[in-house]
Structure formats: C-alpha cells, structure tokens
Amino acid sequence: MGIGATAGVAAAGGIALGAQAADGSSGGSSGASGSLVFDPDAYTKLTKTITDADGADHSVTYHFWKAITYVANPVDETYQSLIVSAPVEIDGSTVDPANAPILLANSIGGYLPASVADATEVGGGGSAMGGGAAPSGAPGSTTSAAPNANGNTNATGGATSSNQLLALAAGYVVIEPGARGRTLKNSAGEYYGTAPAAIVDLKAAVRYIKANKGVIPGDVERIVSAGTSAGGALSTLLGASGDSPLYVKYLKELGAADASDAVFAVGAWCPITDLEHADGAYEWNWGTNALATGKQVDQSVSKDLKGQFAEYQAGLRLRGLAGFGPLTARNYDDYLVEQYLQPSATAYLAALSDSDRETYLASNTFITWSGGKATFTWADFLTHVGARKKDTPAFDAFDLSAGENNEFGAGTTASRHFTAYGAKNDSTGLSSRRVAADIPAKLNLMNPMYHLVEKVNDRRSKHWWIRLGTNDSDTSHVISANLAARLDNLGDDVDHLYYWDQGHGANTDPGDFITWIAEVTGYRKGKKRS
C-alpha cells in the first residue's frame, strides 16, 4: 500500500466546503453550490509512494482536488461532493492524464452515507461509520467486516485502498464520490438518504464529470465505476441504468448537470442487490446451514422463500455461461459448482506449493484433487462454508431490523417492508400487512435487474468485472451469478469469478482489475484512445 504522502504547494484557486489550502490560507470555492464548473487550477500537488500488485514501489506525484459539490441544489454538501486525483508524474516520468480512464470509486457500504468532505488525499473517502461499510456486529450491518470501495477488507477492521492507489500508479484518474445514505435525518426527524438517494447522487456525480469534459482530467467517456457490497450493488445499478428517464425528476430537484449519467464499465465486489428477491435466493443457497450459534433458522419460512425463488428464477429465463443451458432452482447448484466453485478451488490449489496443497487437502477431504482439478459436491461445499451470516428473512426482516428495511424508510418512518412476504408476516404490530404504495417504484429504481430484464437499457455499461468470495454468506451466490448470466445473455463482456475461501469484501486480484481497465478502455499510458 502507499506510504509517505507529502503535500506540495497549492495551485491557484481554492478548496470547496470551506477547507484550507495546503499553505494554511483560506481558499475560495472550487465547486460551490450553484456552480457546476470544475476549476482545473484549484488543486494541491501531492506525492505518494504506491506499492503495485507485484510488490514494486512507485513514486507518484498527482494533483488533488478537495471536496467539490457536484449538484447545484445539494441536500447535504457533506455527502454530495467528490474528490479528484490525477497523476502527473510516475517514477520521475511526466504523464498526461487528459485521456486516461477514470476510476469512479465509491466507498458506500451497508447503504450508509459516504463522505469525502474531509479527505486530504487519494483513497480518503469513507462511510459515516468508517471504512466504507457498517462494522461487524453493528445494528443493521450488511457486512462481515469493513470493506471499502475497492473490495478490500483488513481482518483487524482497517481498510486498504488498493484499487484507487493502483489505478493512480497506472496513470488513471481517480474520482471518489460521496453519497447520501439511509441513516441521515434532518432536524424534523425525516430521513433524507433512503432509496433512491444514493443512486441519484452517484448519477449526479457522473453528470458533473461529463459536463466538465475537457476541463476535468481524464476521459469522461471511459468512466469505470467500482464499489463493494452495497457499493457494489450501486456500482452495478449505475452501470445498468445509464441515462434511464426514471431518475430525471430526482436529478432535476438536485440541480444535477445536464449531461449523460451512463458509465463505460463496472467493477462490483459482492454486490448486495436484487433486494426484493434476495430473501428467496439466500434461502435457496444457505437455507440448510445453521447460524453461528448453532441455531437452525425457521425451516417453514426458509421453505416458503425457496419456493418464491424457484418461481422468480424460472421467470428470468436465463441461460448459464459456457453453454450450460436454462438456469433453474433445480440445477443452479450444479451450475455454481461447475462454472464457479470447482474452478475457484482449482485455481487456489494450483497456486499452492506441493506441500501446502497436500496440507490443505488433508484438512479438506471433501475435495478430490485429480489431474490438476478440484471436484466436490454442492452439499459438501455448504458444509465446508459452515455457518450462515443472517437469520431468515435475511433482508426484509419480519421485525424490520435489517439495514435494507431502513434503506426503504421514508419521512419519519425509519424502516419499512419492501416485500409482500415480509409485510404479511410483520412482527412489529403494523396495522397494514401490505407494502406501501411507493415501494414498487422505488424497487425499480434500486434494482439493476429491472433495467436488464424488464426494461432492457441500451445505454448500460457493456463491460463488467464481478467478484464474490465463496465463503460470503452475506448474500446468495445466485445474485451475482444471475447478474453475470443476464449480462452474458445480452451479449455484454463479463469477467466473473469467485475467490476461494474468501469472505465478504474480498479482492484478491486488484492488479488484474487495473489491467482489465486498460484492456476494455483501450488505454495506453500517455496515448490517446484510437
């Protein structure tokens, strides 16, 4: 990871949100409310040592723009702002970032608010609760640890910023947007960051970037959105819903720039998405696994939800990758094992030394290792993973305790049901056992599958990098696999794999992601795209 960031002399121009320039003087606004014009001179010059994926150190000098408000009528500038980092010198050689890809890395986790208002260098964004996600054990937490925008989780609770740093060292421009989140309340007790606030904010950030084409550094037609967990879901949604008219009224209310909000490519790690069908998918996947306490979940509820999943899956009419054929609830276990899990275990084992592989196989006898390939059954895989993370229902909790219930809160109501099954079985004493009238429309605004299945969006991203840990029981393996299958069926470029024995928020191949960006964008450092 990078070390040794040092501030240079602030360039002409000021810093947004009332921050001070590097020399301690008070600057004017580089992105004040009402102005959507990027000030190219309002940067601070910084130098940072960044360690690449191969372990080599690089000295990177870059221009850094502190928090810039990206809408003319912000609800809360603390969250509706972005930071920009553009490399100008790498290992002593001058680089021109004008035509470089832009990595748009959000730090949203748990659908919580994320702010870059106080960021003083690249990788400085985070959620209101820190690290870009709800900490483990926090009320309404949807994550096992604290992954950031890059899909990286430090087991001790600290998060790294490898995607941003690696992108900067590769000569890319890095833009990190803040966004409102589900826990924000005003003085009247009204929630102003629940659905669809976060996706509207991200779209507004993209519009700001594109409206400043030729002034803001980077190729605005080669924006690659990246995020993890809820941030991965929002990154996916941003890619799937580019320029959808469904969001126009919300963007107009904020005074967003009059520009496109479509992005070129998407990086999504363990996306927590397709929420209205997530309970069924979760039970199909983890229904027989007990909780960490050893307690078995309510199997009648689990059975109901599995049935809902089977119906939903049949209606999608998806075909699996590599010529697998129709994907149904009956054959999805075989598909996951053949397409993702066995290849993941094979890659992991093949990379080990002979002695380490022998030790691993001795401790995991469910795996048969023959001819350089790993084979096992779905049932044995579930036993290997062990405890499931969430009770049932996993997302629309009967007692409204899930973070996703809060994501669909409205007005002064903190949490609401967003599925008919959750509402029908409410345990909080609600007088109505039906979802509110506005919920269906909000679900469409928050679900990328809506834009890929029901209202296929031709302005969507066409390049997709999707990753999930095999031990991640924060969500169902079906969620990202369905997403990948649908994108593949539409003819998009999809790079999807699972990390063996990794949990929620894992990113074990960040260097490959940076290389992938160059490949799909056609970028060669210092040269214009043909």
Side-chain angles (χ1 to χ4, degrees), residues 340-396:
Y340 296 112
L341 301 178
Q342 288 180 164
S344 176
T346 296
Y348 172 80
L349 289 166
L352 297 178
S353 65
D354 290 344
S355 60
D356 286 347
R357 187 184 312 114
E358 183 178 348
T359 299
Y360 184 90
L361 290 169
S363 299
N364 296 276
T365 56
F366 74 97
I367 298 176
T368 297
W369 180 255
S370 178
K373 293 184 178 180
T375 57
F376 46 84
T377 68
W378 172 251
D380 284 341
F381 167 72
L382 292 179
T383 299
H384 171 67
V385 174
R388 56 186 278 165
K389 174 70 179 294
K390 300 179 179 181
D391 207 334
T392 191
F395 298 92
D396 188 0

Side-chain angles (χ1 to χ4, degrees), residues 472-483:
D472 184 354
S473 65
D474 280 62
T475 184
S476 168
H477 290 356
V478 165
I479 296 298
S480 64
N482 267 352
L483 176 64

Side-chain angles (χ1 to χ4, degrees), residues 3 48 59 102-103 153 172 192 202 232 245 256 262 280 287 307 310 326 335 391 401 407 418 454 481 488 519 524:
I3 56 174
K48 194 174 189 70
S59 176
I102 296 173
L103 178 65
T153 301
Y172 307 165
Y192 62 89
L202 293 182
Y335 176 66
D391 207 334
S401 62
E407 172 63 5
F418 53 91
E454 296 184 47
D488 176 78
E519 291 173 349
R524 297 295 180 268

Side-chain angles (χ1 to χ4, degrees), residues 412-450:
T412 58
T413 302
S415 300
R416 298 190 297 170
H417 291 294
F418 53 91
T419 68
Y421 189 77
K424 179 181 178 181
N425 293 281
D426 173 77
S427 64
T428 68
L430 292 176
S431 57
S432 174
R433 295 299 181 94
R434 296 183 179 182
V435 297
D438 66 311
I439 289 292
K442 285 190 174 178
L443 289 170
N444 293 343
L445 290 167
M446 297 302 296
N447 193 347
M449 293 298 281
Y450 174 80

Side-chain angles (χ1 to χ4, degrees), residues 1-5 47-60 121-123 148 150-154 158-169 507-511 514:
M1 296 306 104
I3 56 174
T47 297
K48 194 174 189 70
T49 299
I50 297 175
T51 304
D52 67 21
D54 295 321
D57 287 343
H58 302 277
S59 176
V60 180
E121 63 173 339
V122 64
N148 72 348
N150 318 294
N152 287 285
T153 301
N154 183 313
T160 62
S161 298
S162 67
N163 279 357
Q164 285 105 312
L165 298 181
L166 292 177
L168 199 67
N507 177 8
T508 67
D509 56 353
I514 300 303

Side-chain angles (χ1 to χ4, degrees), residues 33 82 100 118 123 126 133 173 177 237 247 258 265 267 306 344 409 417 423 433 444 470 475 480 503:
S33 300
L82 55 79
D118 297 324
V173 173
L237 179 57
Y247 304 87
D258 185 12
K306 287 177 185 177
S344 176
H417 291 294
R433 295 299 181 94
N444 293 343
T470 60
T475 184
S480 64

